[in-house]
Amino acid sequence: FAPLANRWHCHLMCGAEAMMTHSPGVHSNHEKIFMSWSVCFSASQGLPRLFLATARHKSQPDSWEIELAECKLPPRTPLPWAVAAQEIHELRVAGVGVSAGLCNATELLSIKFRGQNMAVKSASLAAKEHFAVIEKELFGVRSRDAQAAQSWDRLRSLEVLLALSCPNPFAQEPQKLALALESLSPWLQLVD
């Protein structure tokens, strides 16, 4: 199979920022939002999967909120990634779970980090079984050794997914990725 670098394609990336004010001339919070829409072709079968990420940074308190959803795309040309991405966004805006849509998306993760050390404030991840499918599509079939390997595989998958789908902050500031993974590691062992 082809290396991941040849199978991951970022289609669109955007960012915005705003200053929040409560009274004329008084800024209370600086917020940034970054979004990316990427397609990865699976290592074993070459089937396309859409990854849609949102990263929000708030200066007060210093925090990052990361959301990552994914869905399979039909293997045809042109790839209908924009339709699936629009549906996922509309479901999120409506406050409905992304799995309720026709594209059958899955919320892979929703994590809130706080502070310079990227401490995990809250986190929810898709089921271990779903992460096993994602790990197989990212890296191909691998032999495993029971439970310890499962949390390591998920951590490795999270490392790749965070760096590729949320380049700001994780690819631009690798120390933040390392701190985030360090904070997530014990949390992953608790949920196993």
Side-chain angles (χ1 to χ4, degrees):
F1 59 88
L4 182 58
N6 295 346
R7 295 182 288 111
W8 186 277
H9 302 279
C10 182
H11 286 282
L12 184 59
M13 204 173 278
C14 66
E17 62 183 307
M19 293 296 289
M20 301 303 188
T21 59
H22 292 293
S23 62
V26 177
H27 298 289
S28 63
N29 199 355
H30 184 205
E31 293 190 24
K32 298 177 186 178
I33 185 168
F34 303 95
M35 301 181 87
S36 74
W37 298 262
S38 303
V39 171
C40 182
F41 294 89
S42 73
S44 56
Q45 299 174 350
L47 298 175
R49 186 177 292 270
L50 173 70
F51 290 89
L52 189 143
T54 304
R56 289 182 193 89
H57 179 259
K58 296 180 182 179
S59 63
Q60 296 298 324
D62 183 16
S63 62
W64 282 95
E65 297 175 10
I66 310 296
E67 292 178 327
L68 179 61
E70 63 79 27
C71 70
K72 290 181 182 177
L73 295 174
R76 65 174 187 250
T77 304
L79 284 177
W81 68 270
V83 173
Q86 180 178 349
E87 181 181 57
I88 292 169
H89 282 301
E90 288 172 356
L91 290 167
R92 282 182 172 169
V93 168
V96 178
V98 297
S99 62
L102 295 175
C103 69
N104 197 27
T106 300
E107 193 74 52
L108 274 181
L109 58 90
S110 178
I111 306 172
K112 293 182 182 180
F113 296 102
R114 179 162 289 176
Q116 294 296 318
N117 63 348
M118 300 296 281
V120 176
K121 181 180 173 192
S122 66
S124 65
L125 298 175
K128 292 186 282 190
E129 298 78 16
H130 193 76
F131 260 95
V133 170
I134 299 299
E135 199 267 344
K136 181 180 173 184
E137 290 193 8
L138 289 174
F139 307 112
V141 178
R142 299 202 183 273
S143 60
R144 296 205 168 117
D145 122 31
Q147 185 139 356
Q150 287 181 358
S151 61
W152 184 85
D153 285 344
R154 271 195 292 167
L155 194 61
R156 193 176 89 177
S157 297
L158 283 171
E159 178 179 19
V160 169
L161 289 170
L162 289 173
L164 291 175
S165 64
C166 299
N168 194 335
F170 298 117
Q172 291 183 350
E173 301 177 62
Q175 73 279 9
K176 284 192 178 177
L177 179 60
L179 289 168
L181 293 171
E182 187 178 314
S183 294
L184 281 168
S185 184
W187 188 85
L188 283 175
Q189 292 172 359
L190 289 174
V191 296
D192 273 345

